[in-house]
Amino acid sequence: TTLHPMFFNAKGLMQQFASVENLFLAFSVFVALLGIVFGGTGKFPGIILLMYGLCIFILIGFTTPNSGAIMRYRAPAAIFILMSALYFWNDLKLLKKKAKSK
């Protein structure tokens, strides 16, 4: 659900736009996972937001047969993944500054 269509299997302009959105969501999941692993205290809200979004993505992926419906039904869950990435964004920026100062 998160990675279809991607640039290598997109068949038109609209699917190219969906590929950009999927790339952004994959980057958000990556940022959230980095925040969970390397972030400080207070990870619980970010973990809940990420797991809620990913569970809905999995449910939609198993129950929806075409990519148009997948794009339509996953839009509300994508917001939770983006919120999870934004929750950890400042922690990761501070971690990067600490690494540069050492």
Side-chain angles (χ1 to χ4, degrees):
T1 305
T2 309
L3 299 176
H4 180 76
M6 207 37 112
F7 295 106
F8 55 87
N9 61 357
K11 296 182 180 111
L13 185 62
M14 291 306 289
Q15 286 192 355
Q16 290 288 337
F17 286 133
S19 296
V20 171
E21 180 186 2
N22 292 340
L23 187 64
F24 189 67
L25 286 173
F27 177 73
S28 297
V29 169
F30 181 70
V31 166
L33 290 176
L34 282 178
I36 290 169
V37 173
F38 296 113
T41 59
K43 300 176 187 179
F44 186 72
I47 292 171
I48 293 299
L49 290 169
L50 181 66
M51 289 300 124
Y52 181 73
L54 289 178
C55 286
I56 291 177
F57 273 23
I58 290 169
L59 179 70
I60 291 167
F62 281 134
T63 60
T64 307
N66 60 9
S67 57
I70 287 174
M71 298 301 282
R72 182 173 51 249
Y73 296 140
R74 76 173 188 161
I79 294 169
F80 292 102
I81 291 177
L82 295 174
M83 286 188 331
S84 175
L86 290 175
Y87 183 81
F88 291 115
W89 187 255
N90 284 334
D91 291 341
L92 293 177
K93 285 195 318 190
L94 291 174
L95 189 66
K96 184 178 176 183
K97 284 182 183 180
K98 286 181 186 177
K100 280 187 178 181
S101 67
K102 286 184 180 181

